[in-house]
Amino acid sequence: MEEAEVDKRLEQVLDEQDPELLWDMRKQNSGRHTEYDEFLNRCKEYIASSVETAVDERRHDSIADDEVIVHLATALSVRDLHEQVSSRCPEGTKIPGIQWLRMQFWPRRPTAKTAARYTGKLKVKYMVQARQFRADHVDCHYASALFRYEKECAIMFRDHVTLVSMDDKHTIKVGEPGCPVAAAERGKQVLVAMGKKLAVADHDFTRLSLTPSVNLFIDVPEKIDESFHRGQVCISFKENAFQPSTPVRHVTELHSELTDMNLDGKPILMLYTDGGPDHRVTYMSVQLSIISLFLSLDLDYVCAVRTPPKHSWKNPVERIMSIINLGLQGVGIMRKEIENENKLTSCGGLKSVREMAEKVPELKDEVLGAVQPSIKLLRNLMERLKLKDLRFKTYDPASDDAIDDMWRKILQVKCTHFVSNNNILCQVFLI
């Protein structure tokens, strides 16, 4: 204990750099400061040859005097770097210790007190790999240009347009009765009262799950170089077995949200979505759903654009997902027990749950009722979140009757005739 106390006080002296307590005796080491120059030069050559192997999207940080700090990827550790460079040094070269080599790095946080212990002779540091690799696609430029045109059009008619960014968040698993599972896949530290224990099940297999559908009603700026990440966020939670995400369900919920916020009076609606099957505008089911929404709201113009393939990160609503993750931290989700519990526990997945509901019709209402407490909890959490001081809003998922009413709107479209061209059947509509 005495030794630990001495070490603690010595560390404090080194960190504070008080000249009355600390004398720098390194100036007495004349003739030794060039002892490892050859090894340092070999290190610099190794670093220079490894720049192109960096794994993150930023391969360097700028510092003073136009120098840069390289993010080294090929060396697995300081020990590995020491061995790699040592093997390249000519025979007879003096090799320093691993700890000495560590102190020659650039500090990870230059503002920290411990940064004074690093010399910075090697412009290199370690960092966590950033998982932001983005695959390329031949249509990326054209799809990005379409989004720019959509934003320019929205700015031109900003007093008459509603611009909506739509997407579904990652599935939230619902645990079995008495066995909650974590709502968020990747956890962070949260506040817990003294004496309390924050624990959920150590597995992730569940029969039921919820999908949050997130819509961002963008406040259209006056200039295109201003932010398109401001506006009202609306969220609805759907049970995946009996409330699956479909194009017509999305537009039905969008219709409800537009009506609630008194935005249904604007004659122009613009949508921006990813390339998922529920939003891909090249699918006939998505096109018919948008036409149904067009007729239901009596709009003058609808523009629907999708993100470039493999580039869903361009969707503005994607930035909302990180805020939602904050609300899901430290939360365990589980369902209530139902009357036909033995029927449900015999099912292994969503498909088997739906097949069982065909044999036991009351199972559907029981399952939807069993997840309502979890949905209520999640809605309360989401309504406590804000985007630029504007609180999130939550809505009920679209009912089957509302979806049927929306789908019937397509019957207002009258078919005139069919045109056959090169064995492709084209149908001409008259609204």
Side-chain angles (χ1 to χ4, degrees), residues 28 69 87 105 191 199 274 290 294 347 382 395 431:
Q28 305 297 331
I69 303 301
S87 62
F105 288 178
L191 297 177
D274 59 12
I290 295 176
F294 175 84
C347 302
M382 294 300 104
Y395 291 87
I431 300 178

Side-chain angles (χ1 to χ4, degrees), residues 4 16 36 43 90 132 139 178 203 205 217 220 229 243 293 312 362 370 397 424 428:
E16 293 182 356
Y36 301 121
C43 285
Q132 295 183 351
D139 295 332
H203 63 83
F205 171 77
F217 293 82
V220 180
H229 298 91
Q243 294 174 331
L293 181 64
S312 60
E362 60 271 17
I424 301 177
V428 181

Side-chain angles (χ1 to χ4, degrees), residues 155-221:
I155 293 173
M156 184 180 302
F157 302 101
R158 63 189 306 268
D159 295 332
H160 309 284
V161 68
T162 302
L163 179 59
V164 188
S165 175
M166 307 172 65
D167 194 16
D168 281 352
K169 197 188 181 313
H170 190 273
T171 298
I172 299 175
K173 297 173 181 177
V174 180
E176 298 300 299
C179 187
V181 297
E185 296 265 338
R186 297 183 180 180
K188 63 181 290 291
Q189 291 184 350
V190 295
L191 297 177
V192 180
M194 292 295 295
K196 298 293 184 180
K197 186 176 181 180
L198 183 65
V200 293
D202 61 351
H203 63 83
D204 58 0
F205 171 77
T206 60
R207 292 180 178 84
L208 303 180
S209 57
L210 303 174
T211 296
S213 293
V214 187
N215 294 338
L216 172 61
F217 293 82
I218 300 174
D219 290 340
V220 180

Side-chain angles (χ1 to χ4, degrees), residues 307-345:
T307 61
K310 306 176 183 178
H311 286 71
S312 60
W313 58 271
K314 283 182 172 289
N315 199 350
V317 76
E318 287 288 349
R319 296 196 180 185
I320 308 302
M321 304 309 178
S322 58
I323 304 177
I324 295 177
N325 286 334
L326 296 177
L328 298 178
Q329 299 299 328
V331 179
I333 303 296
M334 68 178 182
R335 63 175 177 85
K336 295 192 305 182
E337 190 172 353
I338 63 176
E339 294 184 6
N340 292 285
E341 186 67 26
N342 58 336
K343 300 291 186 182
L344 182 58
T345 54

